[in-house]
Amino acid sequence: VLINSIRPATTVKNLILDPDSGKVVAFLVNINRKEIISPIDVQVWHEIIKVGGQEDIIAVDDVVRVKEIIQSGRYFEKAKVYTKKGEYLGRVLDFAVNTKSYCLESIYVAKTFLGLLKYESRIIQYKDIVEVKEAKVVVKTSLRTVKKENPQPMKLEDAIAS
């Protein structure tokens, strides 16, 4: 985050998204002190975020909607993702936001083994999200897998032949 395009003031730690609309409602810049930047104060958002001054960094409690979202536990980051039928798809590992409209475009979901190995990765578009509950995202269907896993190990002879 740059102030007056001169010096870096802080870094964005996370985005706080409205679970009902998918819009960015705040940029979290200090987790311990619970400080944010409101999207209305952002002058430029590309590789950097530019704001007018230090006064644009405010406390979470100053914005009622942001405080409500944090207290509700209805968030996207690391939330478990299920289909409407109850099939577990994995956790939200990342998401894409349109920097012009400040709207969520998609979430990247994968199952993990011991938090290290990812498998059954999926990209789920925002339009396919049905509901965001406390630490849980519900989507329409299982959708498509980004990277298909090979269920059977390939023999060396088969790999050389192909």
Side-chain angles (χ1 to χ4, degrees):
V1 176
L2 292 178
I3 293 179
N4 297 325
S5 71
I6 299 172
R7 61 182 170 82
T10 186
T11 57
V12 174
K13 308 296 188 255
N14 204 348
L15 299 180
I16 299 172
L17 301 168
D18 187 317
D20 298 322
S21 68
K23 284 206 166 243
V24 174
V25 293
F27 298 89
L28 183 64
V29 294
N30 189 319
I31 296 169
N32 296 333
R33 292 184 13 209
K34 297 183 180 174
E35 292 180 328
I36 60 168
I37 295 173
S38 177
I40 199 160
D41 294 323
V42 174
Q43 297 172 353
V44 176
W45 181 15
H46 291 293
E47 290 85 32
I48 54 103
I49 292 174
K50 180 182 170 192
V51 296
Q54 192 70 33
E55 67 276 1
D56 293 331
I57 300 174
I58 59 175
V60 166
D61 293 343
D62 291 348
V63 183
V64 176
R65 183 64 182 141
V66 174
K67 185 178 177 181
E68 289 172 350
I69 291 167
I70 290 171
Q71 289 176 341
S72 75
R74 295 173 60 215
Y75 52 85
F76 287 93
E77 183 187 14
K78 298 181 184 169
K80 292 181 179 181
V81 180
Y82 293 88
T83 64
K84 286 195 301 186
K85 294 179 181 179
E87 176 189 356
Y88 177 68
L89 301 179
R91 289 187 178 265
V92 176
L93 300 180
D94 202 359
F95 48 84
V97 175
N98 184 309
T99 59
K100 292 189 189 333
S101 67
Y102 291 74
C103 289
L104 180 67
E105 291 186 340
S106 60
I107 57 176
Y108 173 73
V109 178
K111 292 180 182 177
T112 59
F113 179 72
L114 299 174
L116 300 171
L117 302 172
K118 296 178 216 160
Y119 62 100
E120 293 184 15
S121 303
R122 295 173 170 82
I123 295 175
I124 300 173
Q125 300 302 311
Y126 177 72
K127 65 181 176 59
D128 294 319
I129 296 173
V130 176
E131 184 179 19
V132 181
K133 298 180 178 184
E134 189 174 335
K136 178 180 178 180
V137 177
V138 180
V139 297
K140 290 180 183 174
T141 62
S142 63
L143 306 169
R144 63 179 169 82
T145 301
V146 174
K147 184 179 177 186
K148 196 80 169 171
E149 311 305 327
N150 189 359
Q152 301 276 333
M154 188 180 273
K155 293 180 183 177
L156 181 58
E157 300 83 35
D158 296 337
I160 294 171
S162 55

